[in-house]
Amino acid sequence: MRAHRWPAIAPPPDRGVRVHEPMPITAEKDLTLELSAVTAFASGLLLQLAMRVTGIRADFARYETRPLTDPHDWSARWSYLSVLIGVDDRDEDSGPADPLHPTEPGVDESGPYRTTPCYWIGTYPRTGVLTITTSWTEIGLHPAPITLALGPSPFPTTSDSDAGR
């Protein structure tokens, strides 16, 4: 069975309802990753993450997200934070999510690397359970799964209609 892919889509213009408080996903000496917010809309969920990396891992992160426009760059490859979403433990609704506005351009080539990606999930879990697994092996972030108990949708028709799929 083919995995679902959650595309990088902007959330609807209407106001959403926060359904989960911020929480840490991983905290290491030189890397922190947190779930900043989970906001429900009638047509799905917006996940907001925040990552801060320091030291040599920040240099790796900058290298992995550099523009690939240099024709003399013999190692022209790119990577970013990988986010896999599991909805209700159903394979047809599980798969990678593409980030929306993945990085803030830095003026400096040194110092901490920061990114605040958002992910649009075009459905609300029927059971209220969402699994998020984050990783970025190129900078040493191994898979870190978290399970969120969101509860029932604040929009009664969302879980019944599967809007936004």
Side-chain angles (χ1 to χ4, degrees):
M1 175 174 273
R2 197 172 149 203
H4 185 84
R5 183 167 208 103
W6 299 103
I9 297 174
D14 56 324
R15 291 195 112 161
V17 176
R18 182 173 273 196
V19 292
H20 202 280
E21 293 301 314
M23 67 178 286
I25 295 174
T26 190
E28 300 173 11
K29 176 184 167 195
D30 53 358
L31 184 149
T32 57
L33 176 62
E34 78 168 12
L35 177 66
S36 301
V38 180
T39 307
F41 294 83
S43 57
L45 290 168
L46 179 66
L47 308 177
Q48 295 170 277
L49 303 181
M51 175 185 259
R52 184 176 188 274
V53 186
T54 60
I56 189 80
R57 288 167 92 175
D59 294 337
F60 287 145
R62 274 189 290 280
Y63 176 78
E64 289 296 324
T65 57
R66 74 198 182 285
L68 298 180
T69 56
D70 181 358
H72 302 291
D73 186 353
W74 57 270
S75 65
R77 62 186 173 92
W78 192 88
S79 73
Y80 188 66
L81 178 67
S82 171
V83 175
L84 300 174
I85 302 296
V87 178
D88 294 327
D89 292 326
R90 296 185 335 209
D91 288 339
E92 65 270 13
D93 290 334
S94 299
D98 296 326
L100 181 65
H101 307 296
T103 59
E104 292 72 35
V107 206
D108 202 356
E109 286 298 314
S110 63
Y113 171 86
R114 291 182 177 92
T115 185
T116 55
C118 296
Y119 299 88
W120 177 252
I121 309 306
T123 190
Y124 194 96
R126 286 187 175 114
T127 63
V129 176
L130 187 75
T131 303
I132 304 169
T133 303
T134 54
S135 66
W136 192 354
T137 55
E138 291 83 357
I139 69 164
L141 176 61
H142 300 288
I146 59 169
T147 301
L148 305 178
L150 303 176
S153 172
F155 302 96
T157 60
T158 305
S159 62
D160 297 331
S161 69
D162 289 331
R165 280 198 197 178

